[in-house]
Amino acid sequence: MTTLVIGARGGVGRHVVDQLLAVGEPVRASVRDPRAGVDLPAAAEVVTADLTRPDTLRPALDGVRRVFLYASSAHAEGFAAVAAEAGLERVVLLSSGSVLLPGMEHNAIAQEHRAVEDALSAAGLPWTPVRPLVLASNSLRWAESIRSSGTVRLVYPDAVTAPVHERDVAAVAVTALGVGAEDAVATDLSTAAVLTGPELISQRRQVEQIGQVIGRTLRIEELSPDQARAHYGRFSNPATVEAILQFLALAATGGSPCTPTVRRVLDRPGYSFEQWARDHAKDFG
């Protein structure tokens, strides 16, 4: 049964491709630019498809029964309309745990992901969300300053979250696709829960662990919320910056949970942040 992976070159999507291939599942990987597909595994069938042009999705979906999807709200309805015609058995959406987190009802990031979920529901698609709350890979935004100056600029450095390794997110997604799952209903219910790593850890401690892995003592420069708005505003739009600050303020008061979803779905503990840092040491070194 062929699975189309949309977002195959992304942090989670690439692991979905690799894990499906590892168990012998046929994979079709979509890319917007055919030249971008050269770094994908030879065993994956690479097709050109663009969510901004729904007509390109029809040939990519031909013969496909399952889809792993990462999409913005601007493109979700276009995908849903085409996918509804394709007779899919399952769509697994990379969403966000923020849609379920109390206190985040008006958060821009949560609203963006909720809009995508609503579009799939409105189209009547058989879909399942995978909802990581904090991706450990978010810490890659510190990589440049760590390499250049050994300094990390943080707002709410003692805010505590449970970052989840992208390999674990992909493994949950593969399970949600029905690969190796005996009970699809139970799989849907379990994977739709908020997905986190196995431990609560502060941003400050994350920086320390990265430093230990790469053999450097790293310095933290604490930012006020206003300083953070100016700093992060160079890379993101104001609504996204406010959404991040809102979440970190909530995490600083204990509002970011640690859940057993990975252990329940995969029957093993999730990877720690320290393991993630070891896996990405070259990004910071």
Side-chain angles (χ1 to χ4, degrees), residues 36-37 57 64 91 130 164 171 173 176 236-237 248 263 282:
L57 295 173
V64 165
V91 176
V130 172
V164 60
S236 299
N237 63 64
L248 288 173
R263 180 182 288 275
K282 66 181 185 300

Side-chain angles (χ1 to χ4, degrees), residues 5-6 35 60 93 95 121 133 145-146 152 174 178 184 189 199 250 276 281:
V5 179
I6 298 177
R35 293 170 297 180
L93 172 69
S95 184
S121 293
L133 184 56
S145 65
I146 286 176
V152 179
V174 168
L189 292 174
E199 60 180 344
L250 186 67
W276 179 88

